[in-house]
Amino acid sequence: MLFCFSGIVLNHADLFAGVDISRALLPAEYRYSQWNRGLLRGTMKWRDKTLIYGNAGIWTKNKGTDTIADFNSGLPKGADHRNIRGMVCMANGFPLAISQHHLYGLNKRGVWEKIDIPKDRGERLSDIAQQGDSLIITGRSYVYLSRYPYHVFRKITLKKAGGDKGKVSLFRTIWLLHGGALFGMAGKLFVDVVGLIFLFLSISGLYYTFVPRSHSLFGTRIKANMIKWHSNIGWTFMLFLLLLTITGWMLRPPALIAIASVKIPPIPFSTMDSDNPWNDCLRSLRYDEDKGDWLLCTSDGFYALHHLDDTPQREKVQPPVSVMGINVEQKDRRHRWLIGSFTGLYVWDRTHQQITDYFTHQKARPISGMPIGNHAISGFSSDLSHKGMAVDYNKGNTLFPMPNTMVSQPMSLRNVCIEVHTGRIFTFLGKSSLLYIFLMGIACMWCLWSGRKILKRNSN
């Protein structure tokens, strides 16, 4: 039943974007501690302040003090709207910030105002960067370029990468199929119906199993009709119930490991079958002044191009990045790239084609198995500590104290539903919660198969 309710909310997350849940109502592990859980994704120097941004919006630290102040005036209410992905300060001192949905600029009154971008409805934004007076916004499918005063944006479709065979991610395909988005809104609504059928089967199965046998004619009829509808609906939609179960089962370890890097041809007429070779694949675009080229990060790895209209060429040596996406991408004091994700934090010297682990200083090794390393990196700051401050998603970082007032910053209903849907909300399971979906998927398939066998036996 929890799968059904949370899945329907996730399928229509935009409708619930303004709904938050207090972390005080969630298990203690969900309260912020030492800037963990994405509270600090990055920082930026601006005037005499350090701006701190992440899942709870933007906060300021004044120079010479540890006082943290709210800097979210003008941003929409709701944790989902305040999930800030990146910030830049343009050459004219104009600070800009992006959430997953909008670009914001700070006006003279210190209030954030939305700046319109000609993006497709539903396209999420993933990165913001600058090159001189040029502003570059990276969406999941397109790049948007603007120059001062940043009122007009040019939408750019990047060329197909060299050697691209036109295949798409199997993981992404199954992800979209599981929620129905692979076939647009019609697909989502159909999966909603299948979810409601699962809900009915769960409730009717519990009723039939645990409600005592009634000695009245009315009670007997209710139970008979309940099992009749349970059997007929379950049998009619068996294929779709199994499909929903199996696709969800494959999106978490250990099944996820088998499909994470697999490529397949796009399913015809689906949302993955697009003329845009980078449909839902882009993650960031940064200019590398030392190499004199653009470094493009995608769900399929890193590419380089000298001009935005060039053909992207895949980098021969690449740092490991988790299938869950990149969280840190910036230069260190020696002009080397710091690349962080849930697989760890790596130092990438593109000039000498060398990649080392940030913590061990050893040569980076290819990641195999689970998509989460010893250091699940969710943020980094070079402004709060002279050594650099890497933030672990679970442990945070103790180099800079976090105010107690931020412990219970709200969590969006969408994120709560993700935690419920994946089983991570059951924190008492510890690390074994990683196997929750695997075990529950097997249990669901067993219930469907055994129910079919019982129905067939009874009908004979």
Side-chain angles (χ1 to χ4, degrees):
M1 289 190 286
L2 289 175
F3 281 139
C4 299
F5 286 122
S6 60
I8 290 173
V9 171
L10 290 173
N11 244 8
H12 306 282
D14 289 347
L15 295 177
F16 304 94
V19 181
D20 289 345
I21 304 295
S22 171
R23 290 177 187 265
L25 302 175
L26 301 174
E29 290 84 350
Y30 282 92
R31 293 164 200 172
Y32 287 125
S33 174
Q34 301 171 356
W35 301 103
N36 68 347
R37 295 194 168 272
L39 181 61
L40 188 156
R41 182 181 178 91
T43 60
M44 184 185 76
K45 290 286 189 181
W46 180 64
R47 296 181 178 175
D48 60 343
K49 306 177 186 294
T50 298
L51 304 185
I52 303 170
Y53 61 88
N55 284 351
I58 306 169
W59 303 77
T60 64
K61 172 190 173 299
N62 287 328
K63 185 177 181 180
T65 72
D66 288 339
T67 303
I68 303 297
D70 185 285
F71 201 58
N72 293 299
S73 179
L75 295 181
K77 299 296 184 182
D80 258 355
H81 292 303
R82 295 189 174 188
N83 184 351
I84 303 301
R85 309 297 295 174
M87 296 186 69
V88 295
C89 186
M90 304 308 292
N92 63 348
F94 186 50
L96 298 164
I98 62 161
S99 69
Q100 294 186 88
H101 306 287
H102 301 292
L103 169 66
Y104 298 96
L106 190 71
N107 65 22
K108 294 180 179 179
R109 295 179 289 109
V111 177
W112 294 100
E113 295 180 338
K114 186 170 72 172
I115 300 174
D116 290 330
I117 298 177
K119 66 184 184 70
D120 295 346
R121 181 173 181 177
E123 184 185 13
R124 288 185 292 167
L125 304 177
S126 54
D127 191 50
I128 183 171
Q130 65 180 113
Q131 165 59 13
D133 67 344
S134 296
L135 173 65
I136 301 95
I137 305 296
T138 306
R140 287 298 188 101
S141 301
Y142 301 94
V143 172
Y144 303 89
L145 175 66
S146 181
R147 290 186 173 84
Y148 186 79
Y150 314 117
H151 294 155
V152 179
F153 286 82
R154 180 164 67 95
K155 182 178 178 180
I156 301 172
T157 304
L158 297 179
K159 290 183 178 179
K160 181 188 296 187
D164 185 359
K165 298 179 180 179
K167 293 186 176 182
V168 298
S169 165
L170 176 60
F171 169 77
R172 184 64 183 169
T173 301
I174 293 176
W175 179 293
L176 294 176
L177 180 60
H178 180 65
L182 191 64
F183 299 102
M185 182 54 71
K188 284 187 175 184
L189 294 175
F190 183 79
V191 167
D192 289 344
V193 171
V194 177
L196 291 174
I197 290 171
F198 249 128
L199 184 62
F200 171 76
L201 294 178
S202 300
I203 295 172
S204 58
L206 287 170
Y207 179 88
Y208 183 79
T209 303
F210 294 108
V211 173
R213 185 184 297 274
S214 176
H215 296 292
S216 68
L217 179 62
F218 179 73
T220 302
R221 283 182 176 178
I222 288 179
K223 201 157 192 177
N225 286 330
M226 183 73 77
I227 193 61
K228 178 182 176 182
W229 281 102
H230 179 95
S231 300
N232 290 341
I233 291 177
W235 173 255
T236 302
F237 287 90
M238 178 63 69
L239 177 63
F240 300 108
L241 294 168
L242 279 171
L243 182 64
L244 191 64
T245 302
I246 293 170
T247 52
W249 183 73
M250 296 181 71
L251 293 175
R252 294 286 289 168
L256 165 63
I257 298 171
I259 67 170
S261 59
V262 178
K263 297 286 185 178
I264 63 170
I267 297 175
F269 307 110
S270 71
T271 54
M272 296 290 283
D273 186 17
S274 171
D275 293 334
N276 180 0
W278 299 104
N279 180 48
D280 204 37
C281 293
L282 304 182
R283 297 297 180 265
S284 70
L285 182 66
R286 305 284 179 90
Y287 189 74
D288 189 337
E289 294 182 355
D290 298 289
K291 292 279 288 185
D293 62 5
W294 293 92
L295 182 62
L296 175 66
C297 178
T298 75
S299 57
D300 191 37
F302 290 90
Y303 294 80
L305 57 163
H306 286 285
H307 303 283
L308 296 183
D309 56 354
D310 286 347
T311 299
Q313 301 297 328
R314 186 174 179 83
E315 290 283 276
K316 294 180 180 179
V317 177
Q318 305 215 4
V321 174
S322 169
V323 69
M324 288 174 276
I326 188 171
N327 295 321
V328 175
E329 185 182 14
Q330 65 182 66
K331 288 286 190 76
D332 66 8
R333 289 183 174 86
R334 296 173 60 184
H335 298 273
R336 302 170 303 179
W337 286 100
L338 297 177
I339 305 297
S341 71
F342 278 10
T343 59
L345 183 61
Y346 298 92
V347 181
W348 184 13
D349 185 341
R350 289 187 69 208
T351 303
H352 299 96
Q353 294 292 287
Q354 294 178 346
I355 301 172
T356 56
D357 187 291
Y358 178 85
F359 300 99
T360 67
H361 308 295
Q362 301 296 315
K363 183 178 179 180
R365 297 178 180 179
I367 299 297
S368 60
M370 300 293 283
I372 300 178
N374 294 328
H375 301 279
I377 300 300
S378 58
F380 188 91
S381 172
S382 56
D383 302 314
L384 299 175
S385 170
H386 68 278
K387 295 180 180 179
M389 178 176 154
V391 185
D392 186 284
Y393 181 79
N394 297 306
K395 303 173 185 177
N397 192 301
T398 59
L399 291 178
F400 179 71
M402 185 195 83
N404 290 331
T405 54
M406 302 187 74
V407 169
S408 295
Q409 285 293 317
M411 190 173 186
S412 70
L413 177 62
R414 179 186 65 85
N415 272 333
V416 172
C417 285
I418 289 175
E419 299 302 298
V420 170
H421 207 71
T422 59
R424 291 193 296 259
I425 196 73
F426 304 118
T427 55
F428 60 86
L429 295 174
K431 291 184 177 180
S432 59
S433 64
L434 282 171
L435 298 175
Y436 174 79
I437 295 297
F438 180 74
L439 297 176
M440 287 298 294
I442 292 175
C444 286
M445 286 186 279
W446 169 261
C447 283
L448 292 169
W449 179 83
S450 59
R452 177 181 177 277
K453 295 293 285 188
I454 293 171
L455 175 63
K456 189 175 181 181
R457 183 191 64 193
N458 292 342
S459 61
N460 291 334

